[in-house]
């Protein structure tokens, strides 16, 4: 927890730009969005923006971020770009993936 | 495209095997690949609207085969295509195939091709919960729909196995992907890395069951040969063998065993061997479309025979392909020039084409393929292979034989007259070829040294010549500045005489003949003289006879006159003596008159 606080403190003045790619209102997409929302409010302290991109509506947008898996969460900012796939139900993995929490050292 | 396909189907129906077996009502629709040879092996192409798996290890030509399938589809069959590349970017691919003369950017601009580079980077991806690959489907679907693609290549889809850790999800999604491709009605090619003990590393063959093509690469005696095999083709006949294939500046060519049956068209037309006496020995020359083997030990003039044949073909206005595997074209031309054969002139006129390549540059199959290609491009009615024995450097006897069988079949099916030369090593059986192809050969000429009296001379035999009356005589074979000449050898009590012995014998015979001639003339003269003498005698005799007979006649006449005179005198006497006759009359003139 201590490390996480440091991390958020370090990038406190940055806005997190997150993009969630989905394909229609599937259960997995809905679950992913709900999980993301929960994690953001809990750890990002309001300094974030979530764009939900539905590839069924804008299929051409999937190319830029090399989206194959659905749902995929992309962290555009802060750099570097990070990708997390799945419905984000595993909060630990999402936190590690977004660099909110460092990888646990075995 | 449809027409092209129909043509192929027709050709397939023309094939004896498929006519009897294939059901008449529904033929599996096929998408021709346009890849030389592959459509023949698969009897028309890949299954239309279904996925095909092409597997093989790295560098075996999977990507190229996929790209060629798309490019030819777009250019020759009017089917736009999508290439989803997981390993190479658009620029890399375009550069790689530019050397084959494919302009991918041009096709992309004309909306006949889409290259979509999919980058999967394991390190960037974290997995957190359930997911599927809908993004890939959407992306592929978008590409397909945007140009109305009929062909799709996924190269190499296995790359996503490294990008996504959950193999279970991937397998389920791949299965769904291939089903989805079928419903899209696209003819898909999926490439896969060769796995150990399995066709592909991740068992893709489980999902793609319609057609599986395996690419292989084998190194034998440091020669590598690419091979292709159709492992499976559901619902269609296909060649089951391993076929060698070649990647060169024109793409892929696969070499099928050209003929499965012996149904070559034959010809009764003769073509000149280039040596007049030899043509006479064969009763007019080689048959067009036959295969001729000229075998012999080193330096017996095999290449010269081949050179003569090539020149004769050119002289008749026909193209000739000269495949040399021992000497360079310049060397051959110089050597042939020394026996009065001007090949350089025919090369200049475009009637003669040399192809010189050391056999050990490629494997055997490559050579075969290259010869195939050259023949297909140049369409020569005459071909020379000089010598076939050099191919033993790159394959064992059995392999070379099988290569030559295929080559001979190919040449025969095209009606090409071919001359092969074969080097027999000293100590080998003379009437055996190293490669054991003699049974495939129509006309076999054996050139051999005949050693006697400390010299070595060349002899030529026609060992066999199918379907033609041919001389059984050995001829002495001379290489002169005016070309090869065949001479009768001397056959006598001392055996076969050639060279100076033959010349000496001939001189002896000539002398004897002159003597005999002189003797005959002398006798003739003697006879004439005798006849003349006899005639003279006869004339003299006749003359003397005539003189004698005249004299005799004259004597006879005188005698007769005298006799008459005597008779007359006797009458007169009687009259004077008044003698009477038996009637009592006076035998007088006057009385007789009175009475």
């Amino acid at each position: 927890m201590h490390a996480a606080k440091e991390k958020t403190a370090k990038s406190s003045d940055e806005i997190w730009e997150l993009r969630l790619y989905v394909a229609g209102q599937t259960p997995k997409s809905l679950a992913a969005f709900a999980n993301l929302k929960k994690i953001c409010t809990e750890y990002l302290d309001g300094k974030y923006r979530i764009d939900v991109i539905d590839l069924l509506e804008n299929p051409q947008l999937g190319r830029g971020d090399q989206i194959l898996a659905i749902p995929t969460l992309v962290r555009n900012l802060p750099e570097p770009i990070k990708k997390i796939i799945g419905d984000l139900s595993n909060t630990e993995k999402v936190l590690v993936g977004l660099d909110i929490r460092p990888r646990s050292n075995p | 495209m449809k027409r092209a396909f129909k043509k192929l189907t027709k050709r397939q129906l023309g094939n004896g095997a498929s006519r009897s077996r294939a059901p008449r009502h529904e033929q599996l629709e096929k998408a021709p690949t346009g890849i030389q040879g592959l459509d023949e092996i698969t009897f028309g192409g890949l299954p239309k609207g279904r996925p095909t798996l092409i597997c093989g290890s790295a560098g075996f030509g999977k990507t190229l085969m996929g790209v060629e399938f798309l490019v030819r589809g777009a250019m020759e069959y009017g089917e736009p295509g999508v290439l989803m590349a997981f390993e190479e970017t658009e620029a890399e691919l375009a550069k790689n195939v530019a050397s084959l003369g494919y302009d991918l950017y041009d096709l992309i601009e004309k909306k006949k091709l889409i290259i979509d580079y999919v980058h999967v980077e394991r390190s960037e991806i974290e997995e957190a919960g359930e997911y599927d690959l809908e993004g890939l489907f959407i992306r592929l679907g978008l590409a397909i729909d945007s140009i109305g693609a009929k062909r799709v290549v996924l190269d190499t889809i296995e790359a996503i196995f490294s990008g996504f850790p959950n193999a279970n999800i991937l397998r389920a999604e791949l299965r769904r992907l291939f089903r989805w491709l079928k419903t899209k009605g696209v003819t898909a090619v999926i490439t896969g890395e060769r796995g150990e003990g399995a066709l592909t590393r991740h068992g893709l063959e489980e999902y793609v069951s319609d057609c599986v093509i395996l690419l292989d690469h084998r190194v034998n005696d440091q020669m590598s040969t690419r091979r292709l095999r159709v492992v499976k083709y559901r619902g269609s006949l296909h060649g089951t063998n391993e076929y060698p294939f070649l990647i060169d500046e024109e793409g892929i060519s696969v070499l099928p065993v050209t003929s499965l049956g012996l149904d070559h068209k034959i010809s009764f037309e003769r073509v000149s061997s280039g040596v007049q006496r030899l043509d006479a020995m064969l009763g007019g020359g080689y048959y067009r479309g036959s295969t001729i083997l000229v075998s012999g030990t080193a330096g017996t003039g095999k290449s010269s025979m081949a050179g003569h044949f090539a020149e004769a073909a050119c002289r008749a206005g026909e193209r000739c392909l000269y495949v040399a595997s021992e000497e360079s074209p310049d060397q051959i031309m110089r050597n042939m020039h020394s026996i009065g054969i001007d090949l350089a002139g025919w090369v200049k006129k475009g009637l003669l084409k040399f192809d010189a390549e050391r056999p050990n540059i490629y494997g055997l199959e490559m050579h075969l393929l290259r010869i195939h290609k050259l023949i297909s491009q140049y369409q020569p009615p005459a071909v020379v292979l000089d010598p076939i024995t050099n191919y033993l450097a790159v394959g064992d006897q059995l392999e070379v034989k099988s290569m030559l069988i295929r080559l001979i079949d190919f040449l025969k099916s095209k009606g090409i007259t071919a001359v092969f030369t074969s080097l027999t090593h000293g100590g080998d059986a003379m009437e055996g070829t190293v490669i054991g192809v003699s049974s495939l050969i129509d006309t076999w000429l054996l050139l051999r040294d005949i050693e006697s009296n400390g010299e070595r001379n060349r002899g030529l035999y026609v060992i066999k010549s199918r379907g033609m009356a041919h001389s059984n005589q050995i001829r002495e074979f001379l290489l002169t500045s005016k070309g090869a000449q065949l001479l009768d050898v001397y056959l006598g009590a001392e055996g076969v005489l050639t060279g100076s012995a033959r010349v000496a014998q001939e001189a002896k015979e000539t002398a004897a003949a002159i003597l005999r001639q002189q003797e005959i003339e002398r006798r003739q003269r003697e006879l004439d003289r005798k006849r003349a003498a006899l005639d003279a005698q006869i004339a003299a005799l006749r003359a003397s006879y005539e003189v004698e007979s005249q004299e005799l006649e004259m004597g006879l006449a005188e005698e007769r006159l005298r006799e008459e005179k005597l008779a007359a005198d006797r009458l007169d006497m009687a009259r004077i003596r008044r003698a009477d006759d038996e009637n009592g009359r006076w035998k007088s003139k006057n009385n007789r008159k009175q009475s």
Side-chain angles (χ1 to χ4, degrees):
Chain A
M1 253 8 246
H2 181 67
K5 261 184 192 153
E6 262 184 285
K7 188 90 181 170
T8 42
K10 211 160 63 181
S11 50
S12 58
D13 46 344
E14 275 186 86
I15 295 282
W16 287 58
E17 272 189 35
L18 301 173
R19 244 182 241 168
L20 182 66
Y21 288 91
V22 296
Q25 308 261 322
T26 62
K28 266 180 282 200
S29 302
L30 293 173
F33 185 70
N35 289 333
L36 179 62
K37 197 86 183 163
K38 208 175 96 204
I39 291 164
C40 287
T41 39
E42 196 171 324
Y43 294 93
L44 291 180
D45 197 20
K47 291 179 178 167
Y48 64 91
R49 203 174 74 221
I50 300 174
D51 288 325
V52 177
I53 294 168
D54 189 342
L55 291 181
L56 288 188
E57 286 164 20
N58 299 300
Q60 70 284 354
L61 293 182
R63 246 185 121 160
D65 278 326
Q66 295 284 356
I67 301 306
L68 300 183
I70 292 291
T72 297
L73 173 65
V74 177
R75 185 189 81 176
N76 275 9
L77 280 176
E79 300 268 1
I81 291 177
K82 293 276 173 189
K83 280 185 201 166
I84 300 162
I85 57 171
D87 59 10
L88 311 180
S89 55
N90 188 332
T91 310
E92 281 298 306
K93 282 201 169 174
V94 178
L95 293 176
V96 171
L98 286 175
D99 273 351
I100 294 172
R101 181 176 297 172
R103 277 164 210 281
S104 51
N105 298 318
Chain B
M1 188 281 299
K2 273 232 165 104
R3 210 188 307 146
F5 174 70
K6 261 183 194 156
K7 234 190 256 164
L8 283 162
T9 322
K10 227 181 231 171
R11 203 200 303 162
Q12 181 185 353
L13 284 171
N15 182 298
S18 56
R19 185 170 43 215
S20 55
R21 261 186 266 160
R24 204 173 291 171
H25 48 280
E26 212 176 312
Q27 283 273 339
L28 184 74
E29 256 202 284
K30 290 181 181 178
T33 60
I35 295 171
Q36 211 180 350
L38 185 60
D39 291 341
E40 281 163 51
I41 297 169
T42 52
F43 293 104
L46 304 180
K48 198 177 179 68
R50 301 183 188 195
T52 294
L53 175 66
I54 296 178
C55 44
S57 303
F60 282 17
K62 301 185 294 294
T63 303
L64 189 64
M65 194 166 268
V67 172
E68 190 165 349
F69 171 69
L70 289 182
V71 170
R72 295 206 180 266
M75 286 172 26
E76 291 167 26
Y77 303 104
E79 295 196 348
V82 171
L83 173 60
M84 194 166 247
F86 291 85
E87 290 178 327
E88 289 171 287
T89 64
E90 187 182 297
E92 281 168 344
L93 275 168
K95 203 184 284 173
N96 292 351
V97 298
S99 62
L100 306 176
Y102 301 152
D103 187 352
L104 295 188
Y105 289 122
D106 181 54
L107 288 172
I108 291 168
E109 212 164 274
K110 289 179 180 156
K111 295 209 172 300
K112 286 178 169 176
L113 181 70
I114 287 180
I115 297 179
D116 194 357
Y117 169 60
V118 179
H119 176 71
V120 189
E121 183 56 62
R122 180 76 180 85
S123 63
E124 286 177 7
I125 297 173
E126 190 74 39
E127 200 182 51
E130 292 268 304
Y131 61 91
D132 56 39
L133 293 182
E134 194 59 34
L136 177 68
F137 285 60
I138 289 169
R139 189 161 163 180
L140 189 52
L142 176 71
I144 292 171
D145 294 340
S146 66
I147 56 165
K150 297 270 182 263
R151 298 177 178 212
V152 168
V153 172
L154 300 174
D155 178 54
T156 302
I157 197 155
E158 284 189 314
I160 64 170
F161 276 93
S162 63
F164 298 94
N166 191 332
N168 289 337
I169 289 179
L170 278 177
R171 285 180 192 287
E173 286 298 290
L174 281 182
R175 190 161 284 143
R176 194 162 69 92
L177 175 67
F178 296 139
R179 259 204 318 273
W180 176 76
L181 284 171
K182 273 194 194 179
T183 61
K184 276 287 205 186
V186 293
T187 309
V189 167
I190 293 112
T191 64
E193 287 274 320
R194 187 79 194 267
E196 284 196 17
L199 289 176
T200 56
R201 196 173 291 164
H202 296 277
L204 286 178
E205 61 271 25
E206 277 177 52
Y207 316 116
V208 186
S209 50
D210 290 296
C211 181
V212 178
I213 294 171
L214 179 65
L215 305 183
D216 195 6
H217 200 177
R218 222 170 296 157
V219 179
N220 265 350
D221 293 335
Q222 301 166 26
M223 295 292 152
S224 77
T225 309
R226 296 173 195 274
R227 287 162 201 268
L228 173 150
R229 183 160 68 96
V230 180
V231 179
K232 173 152 113 178
Y233 198 148
R234 191 176 279 176
S236 167
L237 292 171
H238 61 88
T240 49
N241 300 336
E242 275 195 324
Y243 301 95
F245 73 97
L246 176 73
I247 298 176
D248 65 6
E249 62 279 2
E250 281 157 49
I252 294 173
S253 357
V254 184
L255 178 83
V257 175
T258 42
S259 73
L260 302 162
L262 289 169
D263 51 358
H264 319 301
K265 279 206 185 82
I266 56 126
S267 169
F268 289 97
E269 199 190 327
R270 302 292 189 113
V271 290
S272 174
S273 65
V275 181
Q276 218 173 358
R277 280 290 297 271
L278 181 58
D279 286 349
M281 270 175 94
L282 296 169
Y286 307 134
Y287 277 126
R288 180 178 292 286
S290 67
T291 310
I292 298 102
L293 178 71
V294 181
S295 71
T297 47
T300 43
K302 299 181 294 299
S303 296
S304 306
M305 291 301 293
H308 266 297
F309 170 71
E311 200 216 9
C314 295
R315 207 180 277 280
E318 293 183 342
R319 287 186 301 280
C320 178
L321 175 68
Y322 198 115
V323 181
S325 55
E326 202 163 55
E327 297 171 284
S328 72
D330 284 343
Q331 197 181 349
I332 293 170
M333 282 189 268
R334 184 200 66 195
N335 297 351
M336 291 298 159
H337 191 74
S338 74
I339 56 165
I341 303 174
D342 176 30
L343 294 183
W346 297 114
V347 172
K348 236 174 255 163
K349 284 185 186 140
L351 280 172
L352 181 63
K353 189 185 177 86
F354 273 103
D355 176 64
E357 212 86 61
R358 276 260 172 231
N360 38 3
I361 319 185
Y362 313 113
L364 272 186
E365 307 293 357
M366 276 323 164
H367 280 289
L368 185 52
L369 207 52
R370 240 167 33 84
I371 295 169
H372 258 243
K373 280 192 65 171
L374 280 169
I375 289 171
S376 302
Q377 284 164 3
Y378 191 58
Q379 300 281 338
V383 169
V384 171
L385 247 73
D386 180 32
I388 53 169
T389 24
N390 266 10
Y391 293 110
L392 283 171
V394 282
D396 62 28
Q397 188 166 332
L398 206 68
E399 287 170 330
V400 175
K401 185 174 178 181
S402 102
M403 167 202 162
L404 288 174
I405 290 174
R406 297 218 296 267
L407 181 60
I408 290 169
D409 276 343
F410 175 69
L411 292 169
K412 284 190 185 250
S413 70
K414 297 257 173 191
I416 295 170
T417 320
V419 168
F420 296 171
T421 67
S422 165
L423 176 69
T424 316
H425 293 283
D428 289 341
M430 268 297 177
E431 302 200 353
T433 47
V434 183
I435 298 166
V437 289
S438 58
S439 61
L440 305 166
I441 296 292
D442 297 305
T443 299
W444 182 5
L445 307 178
L446 174 64
L447 300 174
R448 65 179 296 179
D449 289 324
I450 300 168
E451 277 184 51
S452 59
N453 305 334
E455 50 180 70
R456 187 167 238 218
N457 296 297
R458 299 181 178 98
L460 180 142
Y461 307 59
V462 179
I463 293 191
K464 74 166 178 185
S465 197
R466 281 180 185 150
M468 53 174 82
H470 55 271
S471 169
N472 63 348
Q473 300 294 303
I474 300 171
R475 297 288 195 282
E476 185 174 354
F477 177 67
L478 286 185
L479 289 174
T480 69
S481 62
K482 284 176 186 162
Q485 285 190 351
L486 297 182
L487 301 170
D488 288 322
V489 293
Y490 177 79
L491 290 164
E494 296 164 58
V496 174
L497 294 185
T498 56
S500 56
R502 172 183 51 77
V503 172
Q505 186 65 35
E506 274 172 5
K508 224 187 279 174
E509 278 186 10
T510 313
I514 289 169
L515 277 180
R516 273 199 306 279
Q517 187 62 37
Q518 283 171 347
E519 176 68 13
I520 288 168
E521 279 168 13
R522 194 182 62 75
R523 290 193 179 187
Q524 185 67 46
R525 277 199 305 275
E526 174 85 15
L527 190 66
D528 288 349
R529 194 182 56 74
K530 276 191 177 164
R531 181 179 294 131
L534 206 62
D535 283 351
Q537 263 179 333
I538 290 169
L541 278 171
R542 174 162 290 146
S544 71
Y545 160 77
E546 263 163 26
V547 168
E548 223 165 303
S549 75
Q550 265 175 7
E551 277 172 9
L552 283 171
E553 294 268 333
M554 267 166 64
L556 215 57
E558 268 173 35
E559 281 299 304
R560 241 179 242 130
L561 273 175
R562 200 176 295 149
E563 191 67 26
E564 267 174 38
K565 187 89 168 70
L566 278 174
D569 285 354
R570 263 197 309 273
L571 273 180
D572 280 346
M573 195 80 83
R575 195 170 34 88
I576 291 163
R577 286 189 307 168
R578 306 185 64 93
D580 58 338
D581 60 6
E582 55 265 34
N583 297 324
R585 294 228 178 119
W586 297 106
K587 275 191 182 172
S588 76
K589 272 182 188 167
N590 298 340
N591 279 356
R592 245 189 287 174
K593 277 177 191 167
Q594 280 165 0
S595 62

